[in-house]
Amino acid sequence: MTITQLSYVLAVAEHQNFTKAAQKCFVTQPTLSMQIQKLEDQLDILIFDRSKKPIELTEVGKKIVTQARNIVNESYRIQDIVDQQKGFIGGEFKLGIIPTVMPTLLPMFLNNFVKKYPKVKLKIEELTTDEIITRINDGHLDAAIAATPLELDTIKERVLYFEPFVAYVPQNHRLRDKSKLEISDLNIDDMLLLEDGHCFRDGVINLCKAFKNHTDDKFQLESGSIETLVKLSNEGLGMTLMPFLHTLDLNEKAKQNLHYFTEPSPAREVSLIYHKSELKMQIIEALQYVISGVVRGAIAFQNVQIISPISK
């Protein structure tokens, strides 16, 4: 049994196709198939049910894949040990970022990070929290930036910053004349929300649930972006909540519609998350150092109340 054979098994399990798996592993399909067959013969079991289209794991195959993923991940730790011993910070690093963080945070730290750590090849992708969790657990992401706490046994979290919620209240809204808002002022019935799948949406719903009776009725107006919510709000269709960093890019006229909360302000916790196997920690620590440094100057709020992103 070899690490290479186990890597081939993981590739077939992911793509459910021998040809695609071979392309992913940069080998010919006969070579990959032969190595997996050799492993199955050695173990005297079938890992894959080849009669199904697409190919499926057998019951014992599912257990083998779980263990194979642990073994392959641990094998990468040897290179990590060598890199850390040499003080090397470089190589490919796959980073996921949730949509409500990507447009504000990435421009703040990316240029600084690239200049400070030119040997790191960042591959950044915008993903939902659910997609991020799946990819971290499958070994397809090295780390991610997401709202926390997530309360997952397989994932570790390093807090980067706390980002307050800010209300965007248009003209003629019932809360327009309040200088400071209380959480109890919020009413889910006149709130514009992001589409399902955004953790910031779940945070807003949890915030409202904490102080009011809430039913699971469908909301009439939802959007995929905070920018669109602001435009809808300007049309008098309701108020919305924004993460603080999004407010920095508003024009002066739009900023007149911002209303802040009394302290402790409701806020989200934004963290760098990664698998408990702690691979590539030198790059994770470098990211934390750079991001914490640039955000510290942008967010001065201290007295905050963390709102969970976990859908309840």
Side-chain angles (χ1 to χ4, degrees):
M1 186 185 305
T2 67
I3 298 295
T4 299
Q5 288 174 330
L6 296 179
S7 298
Y8 291 168
V9 167
L10 293 178
V12 175
E14 176 187 353
H15 296 284
Q16 297 181 282
N17 182 284
F18 279 84
T19 302
K20 291 180 179 178
Q23 292 171 349
K24 177 75 173 179
C25 296
F26 302 105
V27 296
T28 64
Q29 189 266 325
T31 297
L32 180 138
S33 296
M34 180 185 69
Q35 288 298 323
I36 290 178
Q37 182 68 59
K38 188 176 179 181
L39 178 60
E40 289 178 321
D41 291 344
Q42 179 186 346
L43 297 173
D44 195 26
I45 51 91
L46 287 177
I47 298 174
F48 297 102
D49 185 346
R50 294 163 175 79
S51 68
K52 301 288 182 64
K53 299 295 181 182
I55 294 167
E56 292 182 4
L57 287 163
T58 61
E59 286 305 309
V60 69
K62 293 175 183 177
K63 296 177 181 179
I64 288 171
V65 163
T66 299
Q67 187 61 31
R69 187 171 291 119
N70 293 335
I71 293 170
V72 172
N73 282 341
E74 284 300 311
S75 73
Y76 295 152
R77 191 182 292 276
I78 294 174
Q79 186 61 53
D80 260 9
I81 292 170
V82 174
D83 288 344
Q84 290 181 40
Q85 180 67 27
K86 294 179 177 179
F88 175 73
I89 301 179
E92 183 179 275
F93 191 87
K94 292 169 285 190
L95 180 70
I97 307 179
I98 59 173
T100 56
V101 167
M102 174 83 99
T104 55
L105 182 63
L106 190 60
M108 293 175 67
F109 82 85
L110 184 58
N111 194 38
N112 285 352
F113 184 85
V114 170
K115 287 181 178 178
K116 191 171 182 63
Y117 303 102
K119 293 180 181 179
V120 177
K121 183 182 178 182
L122 277 180
K123 295 184 71 174
I124 301 171
E125 191 171 359
E126 183 176 282
L127 299 165
T128 66
T129 301
D130 287 343
E131 291 171 331
I132 282 171
I133 292 168
T134 298
R135 296 198 190 191
I136 287 179
N137 285 330
D138 288 346
H140 298 139
L141 275 183
D142 295 307
I145 299 172
T148 54
L150 297 176
E151 300 177 9
L152 298 170
D153 293 336
T154 58
I155 289 178
K156 292 194 170 187
E157 305 171 358
R158 290 190 174 206
V159 177
L160 295 171
Y161 58 92
F162 303 114
E163 184 175 22
F165 291 33
V166 182
Y168 188 88
V169 183
Q171 297 285 344
N172 302 320
H173 189 275
R174 63 184 177 83
L175 298 177
R176 180 67 185 190
D177 294 332
K178 292 203 68 172
S179 57
K180 286 275 189 176
L181 298 185
E182 304 285 345
I183 295 175
S184 57
D185 291 327
L186 301 180
N187 187 334
I188 200 72
D189 294 328
D190 68 357
M191 187 82 65
L192 302 176
L193 295 173
L194 289 170
E195 292 172 348
D196 198 13
H198 290 268
C199 62
F200 188 74
R201 165 203 170 96
D202 294 328
V204 172
I205 292 174
N206 290 341
L207 183 64
C208 293
K209 277 183 179 179
F211 288 86
K212 285 186 179 290
N213 291 328
H214 172 71
T215 60
D216 291 325
D217 295 336
K218 290 291 182 183
F219 306 104
Q220 294 186 353
L221 276 175
E222 299 177 357
S223 171
S225 75
I226 289 174
E227 290 73 18
T228 302
L229 292 182
V230 169
K231 291 178 181 178
L232 292 172
S233 184
N234 287 335
E235 294 298 319
L237 297 172
M239 64 173 288
T240 192
L241 296 185
M242 307 172 64
F244 174 76
L245 290 179
H246 280 260
T247 69
L248 302 181
D249 292 330
L250 294 176
N251 60 42
E252 291 306 312
K253 181 178 179 182
K255 286 182 179 179
Q256 294 176 11
N257 294 333
L258 296 178
H259 284 56
Y260 295 88
F261 288 88
T262 56
E263 294 187 348
S265 304
R268 65 174 176 176
E269 178 183 271
V270 178
S271 299
L272 195 56
I273 67 173
Y274 50 94
H275 196 268
K276 66 178 182 179
S277 59
E278 297 188 337
L279 294 169
K280 302 185 180 180
M281 284 306 298
Q282 66 274 31
I283 300 179
I284 289 172
E285 289 172 354
L287 276 167
Q288 181 185 17
Y289 173 77
V290 171
I291 294 172
S292 298
V294 297
V295 173
R296 197 177 298 120
I299 300 180
F301 296 83
Q302 299 296 329
N303 189 9
V304 295
Q305 173 188 348
I306 304 303
I307 305 301
S308 172
I310 300 173
S311 183
K312 297 178 179 178

